[in-house]
């Protein structure tokens, strides 16, 4: 009879490996095309397929990068909670991170790039620097309120006084990344992904922070004030 010359096993299962290369730089699109073709094939009982190689490495790397991002966000929150001695104010500051992600998506789309491990690392870096402007703003609001100023008046005053340092901080970061975007030397494509991520996140995140952050700060204060008041009524009632 006829049979295979060699048997290959993975996790105690017999496997046959089919290798191929792909054109271009979009590995995810190539894997999607393979999945579409395989979806029309009825696999016999006991048979299944799995895409491995570079695609499997990419999926695992994105999973690890997501865990790193969550850990970075958690550490940033813990540091701010310790410095502000409050759990509420860091929550209002953390809203700048999803605002920055909006800018990342816009920048990558405008630059004709897809989300990759390189741009993903830029998002992790962005999670640590985008909160700086919000910290400057919220800290000054708290100083004004400690001095006896009304909450809404403090929010408006902080926006005027802290506008210049916020813009200066954002512009120095953005302009420092611009040369990396237009660099055409060998290997510069990886740097461009990080630069686009940070530029887009800082630009959109900063502009939206000046509008959204005061609103979120006010809403969170009202919400937690109502919660504390209800808890006091329950205790004394």
């Amino acid at each position: 009879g006829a049979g295979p010359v060699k048997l290959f096993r993975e996790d105690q299962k017999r496997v046959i490996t089919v290798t191929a290369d792909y054109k271009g730089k979009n590995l995810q699109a190539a894997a999607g095309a393979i999945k579409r073709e395989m979806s029309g094939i009825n696999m016999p009982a006991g048979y299944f397929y799995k895409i491995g190689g570079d695609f499997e490495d990419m999926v695992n790397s994105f999973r690890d990068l997501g865990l790193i991002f969550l850990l970075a966000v958690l550490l940033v929150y813990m540091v701010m909670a310790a410095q502000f001695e409050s759990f509420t104010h860091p929550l209002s500051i953390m809203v700048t991170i999803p605002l920055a992600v909006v800018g990342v998506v816009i920048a990558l789309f405008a630059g004709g790039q897809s989300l990759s491990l390189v741009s993903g690392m830029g998002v992790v870096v962005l999670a640590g620097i985008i909160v700086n402007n919000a910290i400057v703003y919220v800290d000054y609001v708290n100083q004004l309120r400690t001095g006896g100023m009304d909450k809404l008046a403090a929010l408006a005053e902080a926006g005027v006084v802290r506008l210049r340092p916020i813009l200066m901080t954002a512009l120095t970061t953005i302009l420092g990344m611009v040369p990396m975007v237009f660099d055409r030397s060998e290997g510069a494509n990886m740097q461009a992904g990080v630069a686009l991520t940070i530029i887009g996140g800082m630009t959109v995140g900063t502009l939206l922070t000046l509008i959204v952050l005061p609103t979120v700060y006010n809403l969170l204060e009202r919400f937690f004030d109502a919660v504390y008041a209800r808890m006091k009524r329950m205790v004394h009632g």
Side-chain angles (χ1 to χ4, degrees):
V5 178
K6 294 182 179 180
L7 296 178
F8 297 94
R9 296 183 181 275
E10 183 177 331
D11 295 332
Q12 299 184 358
K13 296 182 178 67
R14 288 177 58 176
V15 298
I16 296 176
T17 303
V18 178
T19 60
D21 252 333
Y22 63 97
K23 292 183 179 180
K25 302 176 182 178
N26 197 336
L27 175 59
Q28 193 166 1
I34 294 174
K35 288 180 179 179
R36 287 192 298 272
E37 292 295 328
M38 295 299 296
S39 63
I41 300 177
N42 294 322
M43 305 291 289
Y47 287 79
F48 65 94
Y49 76 94
K50 181 181 72 172
I51 302 178
D54 291 344
F55 179 75
E56 187 176 18
D57 294 339
M58 183 187 72
V59 172
N60 293 334
S61 299
F62 269 116
R63 185 185 62 235
D64 295 340
L65 195 63
L67 294 175
I68 293 172
F69 176 76
L70 293 177
L71 181 60
V73 171
L74 178 62
L75 291 174
V76 169
Y77 177 82
M78 291 172 60
V79 170
M80 289 191 298
Q83 293 297 317
F84 281 105
E85 297 181 353
S86 168
F87 294 106
T88 306
H89 298 150
L91 283 177
S92 60
I93 293 174
M94 297 299 287
V95 76
T96 58
I97 295 179
L99 296 180
V101 173
V102 175
V104 171
V105 174
I106 295 174
L108 291 178
F109 179 78
Q113 295 196 20
S114 58
L115 183 63
S116 62
L117 292 177
V118 177
S119 55
M121 288 187 289
V123 174
V124 174
V125 174
L126 192 62
I129 62 178
I130 190 62
V131 298
N132 293 342
N133 293 331
I135 291 173
V136 171
Y137 177 84
V138 171
D139 182 62
Y140 191 64
V141 171
N142 292 340
Q143 292 180 29
L144 294 176
R145 295 185 65 187
T146 302
M149 184 176 290
D150 178 70
K151 179 178 63 177
L152 296 181
L155 290 171
E157 179 69 15
V160 175
V161 175
R162 292 306 192 198
L163 178 61
R164 181 179 295 180
I166 287 175
L167 292 179
M168 289 174 61
T169 304
L171 286 174
T172 52
T173 304
I174 292 170
L175 295 178
M177 292 290 170
V178 168
M180 295 173 62
V181 176
F182 296 99
D183 187 6
R184 293 295 180 265
S185 60
E186 186 177 355
N189 186 53
M190 295 181 62
Q191 301 175 4
V194 176
L196 271 176
T197 299
I198 295 177
I199 289 174
M202 287 296 296
T203 302
V204 177
T206 300
L207 295 177
L208 291 180
T209 294
L210 297 172
I211 301 172
V212 177
L213 181 57
T215 304
V216 174
Y217 182 98
N218 184 37
L219 291 176
L220 284 176
E221 284 284 307
R222 291 169 56 185
F223 173 76
F224 283 104
D225 287 346
V227 171
Y228 294 150
R230 179 174 296 180
M231 291 176 64
K232 286 182 178 179
R233 287 196 301 268
M234 291 175 62
V235 170
H236 296 291

